[in-house]
Structure formats: C-alpha cells, structure tokens
Amino acid sequence: MLEDIKKQILNLKKEKDVLILAHSYQAPEILEVADEVGDSFALSIAAAKHPHKTVVLCGVKFMAETVKILSPEKTVILPTENATCPMAEQINPQEIIAFKKKNPIFKVVAYVNTTAELKAVCDVCVTSSSAIRIMEKIKEPVLFVPDKNLGAYIKSKLPGKDIILMNGCCPVHDSVNEEDVKAAIEAHPGFKLAMHPELPAKVLEYADYIGSTSGIIEYADSVSDNIIIGTEKSIADHLSIKYPERQFPLLAKTLMCPDMRITTLMDVYKAVLGTGGLNIEIDEETRLNAKVSIDAMIELGSK
Ligand code: 13P
Ligand code: SF4
C-alpha cells in the first residue's frame, strides 16, 4: 500500500513538474519521495535552485511561506493546512514596530520559525544552523525574537555582544529539563549527547554536540558512538534506520512535535495530485518586506 502510493507520487511529480522538499523531521516514507531533505536553512534556499512550477513543502507553514517569499512565481503547497509551528505565532508584529520606534539603533533578528508578517517588520532572519555566523556579522545591538533558548545559546557563543531576548520558545524542546538529562545519562552510560539549540541552557550544558537537525545527523555520521538524541524523535528514528547496529535513545519522551508529525504520505499524494493541502498566499507588500530579512539571512549565512 505504502509502496504503491510512493510509486504514484514519484510518477505524478514528474508528470506535473512538482518539486518535493521535506524537513528532516518528516516521516521516513516522505523523505523517500522528496527531491531534497534538510534543515530549515537548506530548505529556504532549495526551491529557488530548481525550475519546477510547483513546490510541495513537507514540514510546517513558516517553511512553506519562506519558499513562497523567495519564489513568488511558484505555486507552493503545504500538504496539511494545520501543520503550523506554535513558536511562529508567539510574537505580534505590533510589539516589534513599537520596540523599533523606541530603540532605533537596534537590529531586530528573527528566528526563521516566525510568520511572514513578523519577518516583514524584522531586519534579518536566522536559522539554528546559521545563527552564530549571521549574528557575529551584525555590529548593532540586537533584539532577538522569539526563542529565548536559541537566543541564550547565541549569547553564550558571542560574549560581549549586546543581545536582548524575548520570552518565546519551542514548547517541545523547552519541555526538557536537567532531570531528564541526568536520567538519560544514567540509563545510557558512555553515550554521546547531541542536542538542538532550542533546548534550555541548563540542558545544553551536558551536550557533546549542539546543532541544527541536519547538524545532528552529520554529527552522527561523523562518529561511531551511540548517541542520546536531544531533538524531535524523528531524528532518532531516522538514525536508527540508517545505523541499525547503533543506539539512538531520545533525551526525553516529550520530544515529539505534533505539527511536524501530522503530515502523512497520503497528504503528500493529494498535494502533488493537486487535490489537497494549503496553497500558500502572501500579500505582495508583506512578501517584499519579509524578503529583505530572508535575503539578508542568505547573504550573511551562506558559508
Ligand atoms: P532546524 O533549523 O534545525 O531545521 O530546526 C527547525 C525546527 O523547527 C526545530 O524544531
Ligand atoms: Fe516548531 Fe518546536 Fe515543532 Fe520545531 S519542534 S516545528 S520549533 S514546535
């Protein structure tokens, strides 16, 4: 059944000139039909390189919006309408407008996990894999929104830099605490710990490696150890399939993102067929303003 749908998707995407992009958190059967798989930075720049008229983005809404902002001529479909990221909605653009009026010398840097409307009032975007590279190039004081945990991690790597944080966070990663880490280390002595910077600072203190979703996979590729995985469970599952002889226990059982898990292969099939999903639309003024901060991210963040 699954194999049948996969075959049909592969045929349909050729026939209908569809590019499938998938975030590394998606289910294995979705990754198998994707043209490119990656973290949010890789997905931001992927679509523009391809000539396809339609992009099906398997992930969450802000990722599909980023593709649309950069490639407005393409039809961009999110297979499941309600696959959003709760962190993306945490800050109201009006708060940023008011802050900028009072603090004109500040640059406002937005984590890419934000709405197009929020990006439109910020100066630069970052992703987890590009944040340090970008932030070290910004000379002005920075208001970083919305993730207090990623923000605290950036501050720890760039001491002396003037960075103000807001109180947003990813509810999935922020649910992990120091007790979870101690319990995981006790249950798996000798295992390495790889973590996403959306985890709280107290938890990150125990990490052997800190990086984006793709970064964690590359870290696992580069060592032969068993690794406790401190990000969404899907990464542990992908690594267990790739390296069946190794162990990848999850740092805490709360590391499951409902929004990233909601998309099924059937949803992808319907999106490619043209009978399902959300067609991303952004008004032109918002798109152009949001593009400024994404262009700055790509310029400052490309290696
Ligand atoms: P990456 O930038 O590592 O892909 O992270 C996106 C995300 O939503 C992590 O929870
Ligand atoms: Fe958003 Fe957190 Fe889910 Fe990533 S894991 S998509 S940051 S809610």
Side-chain angles (χ1 to χ4, degrees):
M1 170 75 175
L2 219 55
E3 288 310 311
D4 253 18
I5 305 174
K6 269 194 238 166
K7 258 191 214 146
Q8 290 193 50
I9 293 175
L10 293 174
N11 289 336
L12 269 175
K13 68 175 186 173
K14 265 195 217 139
E15 189 187 311
K16 293 184 167 272
D17 191 28
V18 175
L19 177 75
I20 302 184
L21 300 178
H23 187 264
S24 342
Y25 282 165
Q26 295 293 289
E29 60 275 15
I30 294 178
L31 303 192
E32 282 169 29
V33 296
D35 297 285
E36 289 204 33
V37 174
D39 64 10
S40 49
F41 188 78
L43 296 183
S44 307
I45 53 177
K49 296 185 303 201
H50 293 275
H52 306 68
K53 289 196 191 79
T54 304
V55 181
V56 170
L57 187 298
C58 309
V60 289
K61 192 174 176 193
F62 76 82
M63 296 175 176
E65 283 185 347
T66 305
V67 170
K68 186 70 181 179
I69 290 166
L70 291 175
S71 303
E73 72 291 353
K74 295 186 196 289
T75 301
V76 181
I77 308 287
L78 181 71
T80 316
E81 188 164 352
N82 40 0
T84 58
C85 165
M87 174 154 56
E89 320 277 336
Q90 282 168 349
I91 310 269
N92 183 328
Q94 290 309 322
E95 287 179 64
I96 304 302
I97 293 169
F99 176 90
K100 283 177 116 177
K101 254 195 197 144
K102 272 201 204 145
N103 304 278
I105 62 158
F106 273 72
K107 289 280 179 207
V108 181
V109 178
Y111 192 20
V112 76
N113 296 41
T114 43
T115 59
E117 287 73 21
L118 193 86
K119 288 181 177 82
V121 296
C122 294
D123 298 299
V124 186
C125 282
V126 301
T127 64
S128 60
S129 57
S130 61
I132 307 288
R133 250 186 346 264
I134 293 171
M135 290 283 278
E136 65 189 0
K137 291 177 191 153
I138 299 173
K139 299 288 165 265
E140 295 85 353
V142 165
L143 170 67
F144 183 80
V145 300
D147 189 355
K148 62 179 180 185
N149 292 330
L150 176 62
Y153 173 66
I154 295 167
K155 270 173 90 107
S156 75
K157 291 286 169 192
L158 301 175
K161 202 162 176 59
D162 192 357
I163 305 174
I164 299 178
L165 303 181
M166 276 195 149
N167 204 24
C169 66
C170 160
V172 176
H173 287 81
D174 195 57
S175 69
V176 182
N177 59 40
E178 206 177 351
E179 296 315 306
D180 294 319
V181 191
K182 287 182 180 162
I185 292 173
E186 202 180 317
H188 306 287
F191 284 33
K192 295 274 194 249
L193 277 112
M195 301 191 188
H196 197 281
E198 287 174 12
L199 288 164
K202 273 267 158 254
V203 173
L204 291 179
E205 279 174 20
Y206 295 82
D208 294 294
Y209 173 83
I210 300 171
S212 74
T213 50
S214 298
I216 291 173
I217 293 172
E218 282 163 22
Y219 171 70
D221 291 338
S222 72
V223 297
S224 51
D225 305 75
N226 296 318
I227 305 173
I228 298 168
I229 299 297
T231 193
E232 218 281 340
K233 182 176 179 294
S234 52
I235 300 295
D237 294 342
H238 298 323
L239 288 169
S240 301
I241 294 170
K242 194 169 181 186
Y243 299 110
E245 71 290 357
R246 290 162 64 188
Q247 290 177 54
F248 300 97
L250 199 59
L251 177 57
K253 59 178 184 306
T254 49
L255 281 166
M256 300 236 259
C257 173
D259 290 276
M260 278 289 187
R261 297 184 154 258
I262 200 170
T263 303
T264 64
L265 194 66
M266 200 47 146
D267 296 324
V268 180
Y269 169 75
K270 288 181 189 158
V272 177
L273 189 64
T275 60
L278 176 71
N279 184 358
I280 302 290
E281 293 194 55
I282 302 169
D283 78 75
E284 190 59 3
E285 193 185 339
T286 304
R287 186 189 76 78
L288 287 173
N289 287 330
K291 188 173 180 295
V292 172
S293 55
I294 295 179
D295 284 345
M297 170 182 92
I298 294 169
E299 192 194 320
L300 299 173
S302 298
K303 283 178 204 161

